[in-house]
Amino acid sequence: MKDQTITTKAQLDLVLVNPGSPRKIYQSLASTLTAVEPPVWVGLLATFARNQGFSVAILDANAENLTPEETAERVSEMRPMLTAVVVYGHQPSASTQNMTSAGEICTAVKQRSPALKVLLVGGHAAALPERTLQEETVDFVCDGEGPFTVIELLQILKSAQTDYHIVRGLWYRDNNRTIKTTPATPLVKDLDREMPAMAWDLLPMEKYRAHNWHCFGGLDRKPYAAIYTTLGCPYRCSFCCIQAPFKSGEQALGYKSRVNSYRFWHPDSVIAQIDTLVREYGVKNIKIADEMFVLNPRHVMAICNRIIERGYDLNIWAYARVDTVKAEMVDMLKRAGFNWLAFGIEAASERVRDEVQKGFNQQDIYQTLEAVRDAGINVIGNYIFGLPEDNLESMQATLDLALELNCEFANVYCAMAYPGSQLYDQALEAGWQLPAEWSGYSQHAPNTLPLPTKYLSAAEVLRFRDHAFQVYFNSSRYLDMIAKKFGPETTNHIREMASHKLVRQYT
């Protein structure tokens, strides 16, 4: 008679949840127009934890279009020692707008399985850790970037202890329900060794879809992936919250408060990720999710050289600044497959830009965009309406500049005081009205509420932004350029995109 061995499934250490509610954030645009992005920080945290010997699973509630209740059911079935709901976004602003979904998921998990431990980690949580712990149904909040806090918390939970005071970068309640916080944890310094790549094998790779404009001309939008090659940004634009999860870690490393960290993965680590994406998942469409990729020439050129050496046929996009693109970079970027660069032009008025520490020479805009487009790279112009010094005349000047530049695509935003930004602190000090719900920080939600300016109400800013979107994408000059460059099907697609009218509560 054969021996019969009864085995029990070991408890999973960590489940990382990517929250999201596309319909609430993007309204009708969510059906086919928006991208479905792989959660980069979720993938990096998974790798970091696995490298420390912990068992990890990822639940991408956004990509799988799960309700909070469905997400909670899946988490409950996995019985993890720790559930980490990760509210990082592909843009820094996306963290706060996803907090509504993240909070609903946390509540649903605790209602279904009260004994499960839940941690909130990400840019918004790091910007407002105490408030997040007070408002959300969670056991813990991380006030830094996350990796070391997650690992140290797992170690405590596995030991069945409650010595949370030794877990760095943590907010929690003690037995008396008093809110406690611990010293900051340093930033991860050795990215290549400790977080060399995302845990692609744990992600639903078939679900991810590129932005519509990324594939103008009829290119397939799947498969799609996004990676970081750097973390942070050396610039200090007052409307940006990119450094929020890094500030406490910078202080722990002895950085001065006015200095921003900017860390690099070695180009060999970057190309290893691209090798995996191309060879194992058939990915062609790639987003470099760095807040500022085209900055350090040595880093950029080394990555481009490695891609060119392999002969990959890629369709890549990345962020740049009009004052960081060097002449020697442009042709190399194109040869490596960078078909799109996104530039934060923000405003036509130098006075308006200077107010938010986005200073560059006006002539740089024309010269850089001309050089990039001459090389065959398409341009996304990013514009912000409603910055503190904006009035109707300056916003119209920005729209006029956008029409003059006639970029292959344009993002038109309202100014928002995102938690973790200088503009948020300024808004609190001035007593400006802020959104009542975190979803109101989305650019496309029904309850979007931008900042007022010194001269305009929030409603006036929002009306102008929606007007500018329609003017730009219905411009005959723009549509003619798109037809010549990408064909009539793309022109029809843009007309269909512009036909979506967003519902607004505050106009």
Side-chain angles (χ1 to χ4, degrees):
M1 181 176 177
K2 293 182 179 179
D3 292 335
Q4 292 183 347
T5 303
I6 299 175
T7 60
T8 58
K9 185 178 179 181
Q11 182 180 20
L12 187 66
D13 294 324
L14 175 65
V15 170
L16 295 157
V17 179
N18 180 43
S21 183
R23 278 279 174 183
K24 289 183 179 179
I25 294 173
Y26 296 108
Q27 301 188 50
S28 62
L29 300 176
S31 57
T32 59
L33 293 169
T34 57
V36 180
E37 309 248 30
V40 180
W41 263 104
V42 168
L44 292 174
L45 286 169
T47 295
F48 191 89
R50 289 207 294 195
N51 285 350
Q52 299 293 326
F54 294 101
S55 57
V56 184
I58 290 174
L59 180 54
D60 192 339
N62 181 64
E64 297 191 38
N65 202 24
L66 301 176
T67 66
E69 292 72 26
E70 290 168 336
T71 305
E73 182 179 357
R74 295 269 292 273
V75 170
S76 180
E77 291 170 353
M78 289 187 278
R79 304 186 302 112
M81 189 170 300
L82 178 65
T83 301
V85 180
V86 184
V87 281
Y88 279 107
H90 271 256
Q91 296 174 324
S93 58
S95 179
T96 292
Q97 72 184 29
N98 278 325
M99 271 303 297
T100 299
S101 171
E104 291 172 349
I105 288 172
C106 293
T107 298
V109 169
K110 295 298 284 186
Q111 286 177 343
R112 185 177 182 90
S113 305
L116 292 182
K117 299 297 185 183
V118 179
L119 166 74
L120 263 172
V121 57
H124 178 96
L128 302 174
E130 184 173 12
R131 178 175 173 180
T132 301
L133 185 61
Q134 289 173 332
E135 293 181 349
E136 307 299 341
T137 312
V138 294
D139 301 285
F140 313 105
V141 171
C142 174
D143 75 351
E145 66 179 349
F148 288 121
T149 301
V150 169
I151 294 305
E152 292 173 11
L153 182 55
L154 281 170
Q155 291 168 343
I156 291 296
L157 294 174
K158 290 201 80 165
S159 68
Q161 300 297 313
T162 57
D163 298 330
Y164 301 130
H165 65 278
I166 66 175
V167 178
R168 295 173 296 174
L170 192 70
W171 288 74
Y172 66 100
R173 290 182 174 88
D174 64 12
N175 292 332
N176 297 320
R177 310 304 294 163
T178 302
I179 290 179
K180 300 285 188 178
T181 184
T182 64
T185 179
L187 300 174
V188 177
K189 294 175 70 176
D190 192 347
L191 298 176
D192 298 308
R193 183 176 65 85
E194 296 180 291
M195 293 195 304
M198 289 171 61
W200 300 107
D201 60 303
L202 300 182
L203 291 165
M205 294 297 289
E206 74 284 356
K207 301 284 187 182
Y208 301 119
R209 177 182 71 202
H211 296 268
N212 62 329
W213 49 261
H214 190 179
C215 296
F216 275 1
L219 298 178
D220 290 334
R221 294 170 65 187
K222 291 183 177 182
Y224 169 65
I227 62 172
Y228 283 131
T229 78
T230 64
L231 291 177
C233 180
Y235 295 96
R236 300 183 61 84
C237 303
S238 66
F239 52 81
C240 183
C241 57
I242 180 65
Q243 295 298 127
F246 308 140
K247 295 316 290 182
S248 63
E250 291 169 354
Q251 292 169 9
L253 290 174
Y255 281 58
K256 295 181 180 178
S257 61
R258 293 288 299 175
V259 175
N260 286 352
S261 58
Y262 188 56
R263 291 166 285 165
F264 296 81
W265 273 271
H266 191 278
D268 287 343
S269 294
V270 175
I271 197 62
Q273 283 223 71
I274 294 175
D275 287 341
T276 297
L277 292 170
V278 173
R279 296 170 184 174
E280 296 185 24
Y281 297 99
V283 171
K284 177 176 179 177
N285 304 309
I286 296 176
K287 171 183 178 178
I288 304 296
D290 305 18
E291 180 67 10
M292 192 51 56
F293 173 69
V294 185
L295 179 60
N296 183 295
R298 181 179 298 177
H299 179 72
V300 172
M301 302 284 269
I303 292 171
C304 288
N305 271 321
R306 284 161 172 77
I307 296 173
I308 293 168
E309 287 169 359
R310 281 160 169 75
Y312 290 150
D313 178 23
L314 300 177
N315 178 35
I316 309 174
W317 81 271
Y319 292 101
R321 277 177 58 117
V322 298
D323 54 355
T324 63
V325 177
K326 309 300 181 187
E328 64 272 16
M329 293 181 182
V330 179
D331 288 335
M332 183 82 67
L333 285 163
K334 178 60 181 177
R335 288 173 57 203
F338 285 81
N339 293 327
W340 291 84
L341 290 180
F343 291 90
I345 297 167
E346 320 308 8
S349 166
E350 291 190 53
R351 171 183 57 83
V352 172
R353 291 200 306 268
D354 289 343
E355 171 72 12
V356 293
Q357 301 179 47
K358 186 81 176 187
F360 45 74
N361 188 288
Q362 194 83 351
Q363 194 59 32
D364 288 341
I365 299 173
Y366 297 96
Q367 292 176 347
T368 299
L369 266 58
E370 182 180 8
V372 167
R373 296 172 92 178
D374 283 349
I377 299 175
N378 302 310
V379 171
I380 312 162
N382 291 333
Y383 306 93
I384 299 177
F385 298 105
L387 293 168
E389 283 292 333
D390 257 328
N391 54 31
L392 285 174
E393 290 75 20
S394 64
M395 291 197 303
Q396 183 60 51
T398 298
L399 176 54
D400 291 341
L401 175 63
L403 293 168
E404 179 186 356
L405 294 174
N406 202 34
C407 299
E408 284 78 4
F409 200 76
N411 289 316
V412 289
Y413 300 118
C414 294
M416 292 279 187
Y418 296 111
S421 69
Q422 297 174 46
L423 204 52
Y424 182 77
D425 296 334
Q426 186 179 345
L428 293 180
E429 185 177 342
W432 296 335
Q433 184 181 2
L434 295 172
E437 298 177 306
W438 298 127
S439 57
Y441 282 87
S442 163
Q443 295 286 333
H444 303 94
N447 60 341
T448 298
L449 181 64
L451 283 177
T453 77
K454 296 177 181 178
Y455 315 102
L456 301 169
S457 68
E460 289 174 302
V461 171
L462 187 56
R463 279 199 300 270
F464 193 93
R465 179 267 163 207
D466 288 352
H467 161 74
F469 180 91
Q470 292 298 326
V471 170
Y472 189 89
F473 287 105
N474 285 293
S475 161
S476 59
R477 180 167 175 255
Y478 173 73
L479 292 172
D480 288 345
M481 179 266 292
I482 292 296
K484 292 175 183 176
K485 197 159 196 175
F486 300 107
E489 288 187 7
T490 300
T491 307
N492 292 334
H493 170 78
I494 290 170
R495 287 197 174 99
E496 195 276 330
M497 178 188 75
S499 72
H500 290 258
K501 301 298 193 297
L502 297 174
V503 176
R504 302 293 203 184
Q505 296 176 13
Y506 295 107
T507 54

